[in-house]
Amino acid sequence: MKKGLLIIISGPSGVGKGTVRNCFINDESLRLSYSTSMTTRAPRVGEVDGKDYLFTTKEQFEQAVKNGEMLEWAEFVGNYYGTPLSVVEDLRNQGRNVLLEIEVQGATQVREKCPDALSIFIVPPTMEELEKRIRGRRSEPEEIVQQRLAKAANEMKLAKDYKYVICNEDPQLAADMISLVIQRAMREEA
Ligand code: 5GP
């Protein structure tokens, strides 16, 4: 069986990666499996352990890194986030196209390790709109919001390193464009 694609979706925090993903992840023609990340951040209201993230402690996360269990990992605004390698490999070996939704440092690691990965960067229509979206979550203290905004400005400079840059003005439209890009990559692999 042909190994599935590795797909990276990145972009600044708050750009709507999760909302866009939800618009196409269940399209079975794309044969997608979402890679659930491990994080040390506390769950937000409504987030489910094992579905949104594998919530873990700092000690467990550091041990997993030491054991070489992570495909990539990064520290983001005071917490660790990372992709467990074995799940990604198992799914790809079953022919599934695995979607990683990760921030830019992790995406750089994956692009270096797997140059064939399909990399997509999502940008907001404007930085003002991004700020509105980050504040709209109303879940974090002002200090963290400021850190996310400062980071976003730097993250945007890395868009040029990705194969595709897609604007999330309308989530369904962005999702449709990503679906086309994945379909094209699947045809090229066939
Ligand atoms: P949030 O706290 O908003 O859920 O996530 C913060 C940032 O970490 C987002 O940009 C999100 O895409 C990213 N992220 C989520 N999971 C991972 C991961 O496994 N690895 C890396 N490098 N970033 C991640």
Side-chain angles (χ1 to χ4, degrees):
M1 180 186 291
K2 198 143 182 67
K3 197 169 173 179
L5 300 167
L6 185 59
I7 303 164
I8 307 169
I9 299 222
S10 195
S13 153
V15 77
K17 298 189 284 288
T19 311
V20 172
R21 182 227 315 159
N22 286 336
C23 297
F24 67 84
I25 192 81
N26 293 322
D27 176 349
E28 240 333 285
S29 72
L30 301 175
R31 295 203 309 271
L32 290 169
S33 289
Y34 176 64
S35 157
T36 303
S37 297
M38 204 185 265
T39 186
T40 60
R41 142 162 111 52
R44 294 193 186 117
V45 176
E47 282 183 335
V48 177
D49 189 24
K51 180 172 170 271
D52 298 290
Y53 280 107
L54 301 159
F55 294 101
T56 187
T57 62
K58 196 164 175 256
E59 292 69 32
Q60 280 171 336
F61 193 102
E62 284 171 350
Q63 194 57 51
V65 171
K66 254 195 213 146
N67 295 346
E69 292 168 19
M70 306 306 256
L71 169 61
E72 60 74 34
W73 68 277
E75 190 171 351
F76 185 91
V77 198
N79 282 300
Y80 293 138
Y81 296 80
T83 305
L85 175 62
S86 61
V87 184
V88 171
E89 281 306 294
D90 288 351
L91 287 165
R92 290 185 71 199
N93 288 331
Q94 291 162 31
R96 302 293 299 176
N97 298 321
V98 178
L99 185 78
L100 310 182
E101 190 188 300
I102 59 180
E103 55 67 69
V104 295
Q105 304 165 71
T108 302
Q109 294 167 38
V110 179
R111 284 201 319 271
E112 279 168 11
K113 282 188 193 166
C114 314
D116 292 346
L118 172 62
S119 62
I120 301 167
F121 192 86
I122 304 186
V123 293
T126 62
M127 291 309 276
E128 288 72 28
E129 176 60 25
L130 185 71
E131 176 163 356
K132 229 166 80 189
R133 290 181 192 174
I134 290 178
R135 289 190 183 285
R137 285 176 177 164
R138 289 178 218 279
S139 60
E140 287 169 332
E142 179 62 22
E143 187 195 341
I144 300 288
V145 169
Q146 288 299 334
Q147 286 178 34
R148 284 187 186 258
L149 286 170
K151 240 178 154 29
N154 282 322
E155 289 168 329
M156 290 289 287
K157 292 182 194 149
L158 300 175
K160 61 177 182 0
D161 297 335
Y162 292 72
K163 185 153 188 201
Y164 295 97
V165 177
I166 289 176
C167 176
N168 178 21
E169 178 138 31
D170 170 70
Q172 186 60 57
L173 188 58
D176 289 348
M177 287 191 274
I178 291 175
S179 299
L180 285 175
V181 160
I182 296 173
Q183 280 161 7
R184 182 182 168 159
M186 287 167 73
R187 276 199 305 275
E188 281 170 0
E189 283 290 300

